[in-house]
Amino acid sequence: MPRSQIAKHPADFPVPPKMPDYERARADFTWEAVRRELTDEGCADLNMARIAVDRHADANAERPALRVTDRHFRVEDLSYGELRARTNGFADLLCRLGVQPGEVVATLLGRIPALYTAALGTLKNQGLYCPLFTAFGPEPLRQRLQLAGARVLVTTLPLYRRKIASLRKDLPHLKHVLLADADAGHDALPDCLPLEGLLAESDREFAIPPTAEETPALLHFTSGTTGQPKGAVQSHGAILAQYASSRLVLDLGTEDRFWCTADPGWVTGTVYGILGPLSTGSTLILDPEPFEVRRWYRILEAERVSVWYTAPTAIRMLMRAGSALAREYDLSALRLAASVGEPLNPEAVVWGEEALGRPFHDTWWQTETGAVMIANYPSQDIRPGSMGRPLPGVEAAIVHRRGAHAAAVPEPDTEGELALRSPWPSMFRAYLGETRRYAACFADGWYLTGDLARRDADGYFWFVGRGDDLIKTSGHLIGPFEVENVLMEHRGVAEAGVVGKPDPIAGQVVKAFVALRKGFDGDEGLRRELLGHARRRLGAAVAPKELEFRQSLPKTRSGKIMRRLLRAEEKGEPMGDLSSLDDSG
Ligand code: PRX
């Protein structure tokens, strides 16, 4: 076996693997066959929530859909039948509140049952479901709630008090705030409603309106290098790719206990934290608590997790705690471990094999793609360091752009931009309200991902880096522009440039460079003040961890700050002769 490959053993498959022959599966695959599998004969209804919940509740209402742990590892199950009733109740509640199909329902919640109720109930009512990250500060929340024009927000009392109450006057569209932790009949706050109390009065039956494949369903905000965050919209038909990838990439089925550790505020939390795995009928393990090494191993062991989807930052933290610790736990139920969101180093793949008895399978996708597009499949040999091969039904290529055109590069091992042949069912259908920005993502029938990669002669893709200034910190995508704007609010700041600084655990950390106005001293007091200001406005997950003062920042002739040079400097690369650079950087 070549060193660069981890081969699968027959013993890895207590049940037959879903894709024994990759090439054959690609050749035979059609989206039409997936559509037929998920819909009744002659009925084109593709409502995501019906496919994820009601289809399984109809077959076996008792099967656990959610298994919720608490701080003390006590568990409570919610069956598919109960989830059907609760999500029907939420859809009915939206109707009673006068919320129309197509209107945005946002959540600002951790992994608690109300999140699943709200997300799936919104989809039943044909609303647009928009999750928000609880570690965001007031500024990113205000921007996203405004851009979305959110009608309803579901959150908790502490989150409301800390982050939303002061924004309410800026959010005229936001008609209803539902609090997941307020008691029935108890008016927690005059301008909020108690979710559980209202659910108790709701109808447990709900007739889901027939839902076409192109009906908008999901709204996830993602960052750009300039301008406001972009709201990527997926339609109900995305469930076809979410289901197919949950089967082929995560190998999920009705017998599985699946744990996705992604935060519910980002796209992985919706697609593989809710929709994809439920559509396969598996049981989701939910842990509302933050990361802690021993806690995670204990959950894997006690809940007999069979399939685990996590991220490189967490894997690196587990590695740092040592493989001996992992071996103290009985992880024999774990048959598949997969990773997403950032580059997975080959050492991490191999460490998984040594410490957990399972190598990590890397998978690649984006908010815009709506589902995993490239993966190391459970039934195939892994190439450590590679993202894997395209999902059957998806065509990926390395392209070179020339002006408004993009051409696929047939030669293997050539670096270029990763592109996907448009369309596929979970492809984003819009950036909310931004037609031009959306159109700019496509050329000659390709969706251009903005990632740099190469493809080897066997068709495996290798991540090279991002082609833009976006920062990936602990798996979260941060736009430098949002951070720079908040720093610029301070009266002492003349210029700000924000970049990702390489970090052994988080992948990158957010680092700010600041040039001050005349009369301000770049001393420790001001450095702390600026970091504190950014933290209050943006939240801990987005604010810079480091800040350095400079006399001036490198700029193009037209005055644009060249983050690329600041980044190169962080990596210890020479800055070169700035005078020769023009706007092309
Ligand atoms: O740069 C790629 C990186 O994460 C970006 C997408 O981030 P986001 O839209 O927040 O989507 C999160 C859902 C995955 C990609 O453009 N990325 C994602 N997966 C990988 C990755 N980089 C390297 N290897 C991966 N497996």
Side-chain angles (χ1 to χ4, degrees):
M1 179 178 78
R3 253 202 78 226
S4 63
Q5 209 149 300
I6 294 181
K8 307 307 292 182
H9 308 289
D12 287 346
F13 299 111
V15 287
K18 301 220 166 48
M19 193 166 46
D21 181 341
Y22 175 77
E23 294 304 340
R24 178 126 189 230
R26 277 193 76 78
D28 293 348
F29 185 93
T30 64
W31 290 114
E32 187 45 42
V34 183
R35 199 173 282 118
R36 271 202 308 274
E37 198 182 328
L38 293 181
T39 52
D40 295 335
E41 204 64 48
C43 159
D45 184 2
L46 265 173
N47 188 286
M48 283 179 159
R50 191 183 63 71
I51 288 169
V53 181
D54 295 20
R55 205 167 52 99
H56 300 293
D58 293 346
N60 179 358
E62 301 306 315
R63 188 188 308 139
L66 310 181
R67 166 160 274 221
V68 193
T69 58
D70 74 3
R71 189 174 304 162
H72 308 290
F73 299 97
R74 286 178 301 230
V75 296
E76 210 172 309
D77 285 347
L78 195 81
S79 69
Y80 273 91
E82 287 162 324
L83 189 59
R84 175 176 55 190
R86 275 180 67 88
T87 52
N88 281 348
F90 192 84
D92 177 57
L93 171 59
L94 291 180
C95 287
R96 287 191 290 131
L97 293 174
V99 181
Q100 299 297 316
E103 290 189 326
V104 174
V105 177
T107 54
L108 182 65
L109 290 169
R111 293 177 205 86
I112 59 172
L115 172 88
Y116 306 81
T117 306
L120 294 156
T122 299
L123 293 168
K124 286 188 170 182
N125 189 44
Q126 294 188 352
L128 202 52
Y129 170 62
C130 175
L132 297 168
F133 187 32
T134 53
F136 276 150
E139 182 54 22
L141 291 172
R142 183 192 60 76
Q143 253 200 343
R144 286 160 178 76
L145 284 164
Q146 275 180 346
L147 288 170
R151 201 86 175 145
V152 179
L153 173 69
V154 188
T155 186
T156 60
L157 190 55
L159 285 168
Y160 181 80
R161 284 209 168 114
R162 261 194 295 138
K163 307 192 182 216
I164 303 294
S166 61
L167 306 177
R168 203 68 196 268
K169 59 183 181 324
D170 301 329
L171 303 170
H173 290 101
L174 186 61
K175 291 287 179 238
H176 309 286
V177 173
L178 301 168
L179 296 180
D181 52 354
D183 293 331
H186 162 77
D187 283 335
L189 290 172
D191 44 3
C192 297
L193 298 166
L195 173 66
E196 291 300 330
L198 291 170
L199 279 180
E201 296 162 6
S202 293
D203 201 334
R204 292 166 70 88
E205 303 287 328
F206 183 81
I208 303 175
T211 308
E213 201 159 330
E214 291 301 323
T215 305
L218 307 176
L219 172 64
H220 289 99
F221 282 96
T222 183
S223 296
T225 37
T226 57
Q228 296 178 313
K230 305 174 278 190
V233 178
Q234 260 94 14
S235 64
H236 278 266
I239 196 74
L240 298 177
Q242 294 164 351
Y243 170 78
S245 56
S246 296
R247 299 279 292 168
L248 297 175
V249 177
L250 298 174
D251 205 45
L252 289 174
T254 52
E255 301 309 310
D256 281 302
R257 288 176 168 211
F258 174 66
W259 188 23
C260 170
T261 64
D263 191 279
W266 301 85
V267 75
T268 310
T270 307
V271 174
Y272 297 104
I274 309 179
L275 295 166
L278 287 179
S279 74
T280 69
S282 57
T283 300
L284 308 186
I285 305 297
L286 313 183
D287 179 24
E289 294 296 310
F291 174 85
E292 201 273 308
V293 178
R294 283 184 184 273
R295 181 174 179 90
W296 275 32
Y297 285 135
R298 183 152 166 201
I299 288 175
L300 287 170
E301 176 184 76
E303 296 317 321
R304 314 251 346 123
V305 170
S306 59
V307 180
W308 186 31
Y309 201 27
T310 191
T313 295
I315 297 169
R316 288 190 287 265
M317 291 203 269
L318 297 176
M319 288 171 76
R320 195 172 56 174
S323 40
L325 182 62
R327 283 197 284 268
E328 284 177 24
Y329 295 82
D330 172 10
L331 307 181
S332 55
L334 186 68
R335 60 185 188 81
L336 174 63
S339 163
V340 68
E342 327 155 46
L344 181 68
N345 10 351
E347 303 76 45
V349 179
V350 176
W351 181 84
E353 174 111 321
E354 280 166 19
L356 315 171
R358 293 284 169 249
F360 284 100
H361 293 247
D362 194 12
T363 67
W364 176 96
W365 62 294
Q366 298 182 314
T367 305
E368 287 85 346
T369 70
V372 170
M373 295 282 108
I374 295 180
N376 284 278
Y377 299 91
S379 55
Q380 311 290 311
D381 296 343
I382 296 181
R383 284 204 181 165
S386 159
M387 307 190 288
R389 290 180 288 180
L391 187 75
V394 168
E395 185 186 345
I398 298 300
V399 303
H400 284 166
R401 292 200 205 193
R402 198 154 293 155
H405 292 283
V409 182
E411 299 81 27
D413 300 318
T414 313
E415 196 176 306
E417 184 167 2
L418 177 61
L420 302 164
R421 174 64 70 193
S422 152
W424 62 93
S426 61
M427 185 181 86
F428 69 134
R429 296 304 200 254
Y431 281 138
L432 198 69
E434 296 193 275
T435 330
R436 265 215 232 132
R437 222 173 173 187
Y438 181 72
C441 297
F442 297 86
D444 293 319
W446 295 104
Y447 162 65
L448 305 163
T449 67
D451 277 1
L452 302 177
R454 61 193 164 74
R455 180 179 44 81
D456 68 20
D458 299 324
Y460 283 78
F461 283 81
W462 300 74
F463 183 76
V464 172
R466 287 207 57 103
D468 56 26
D469 291 335
L470 293 184
I471 301 165
K472 255 286 155 119
T473 179
S474 301
H476 301 142
L477 200 63
I478 308 285
F481 186 70
E482 277 187 84
V483 183
E484 289 161 2
N485 274 350
V486 161
L487 289 169
M488 295 291 291
E489 291 169 354
H490 192 283
R491 65 202 172 90
V493 176
E495 292 171 355
V498 168
V499 301
K501 174 183 169 178
D503 182 84
I505 298 289
Q508 294 184 313
V509 292
V510 179
K511 172 156 187 184
F513 291 88
V514 166
L516 293 172
R517 288 185 194 285
K518 275 209 181 73
F520 284 86
D521 265 348
D523 56 14
E524 186 52 23
L526 185 55
R527 208 179 62 82
R528 289 228 189 120
E529 187 180 321
L530 284 171
L531 286 173
H533 165 76
R535 216 180 144 89
R536 264 191 315 280
R537 300 276 292 143
L538 295 165
V542 183
K545 295 269 180 297
E546 291 183 25
L547 188 146
E548 195 177 313
F549 292 115
R550 286 290 165 89
Q551 285 299 327
S552 64
L553 301 183
K555 285 188 282 303
T556 60
R557 283 195 195 115
S558 64
K560 209 167 91 190
I561 289 168
M562 303 187 73
R563 302 185 187 112
R564 185 166 57 85
L565 294 187
L566 294 169
R567 220 169 32 230
E569 209 187 332
E570 279 308 308
K571 287 196 202 147
E573 292 163 12
M575 298 256 289
D577 175 10
L578 300 191
S579 61
S580 64
L581 288 160
D582 61 18
D583 283 10
S584 61

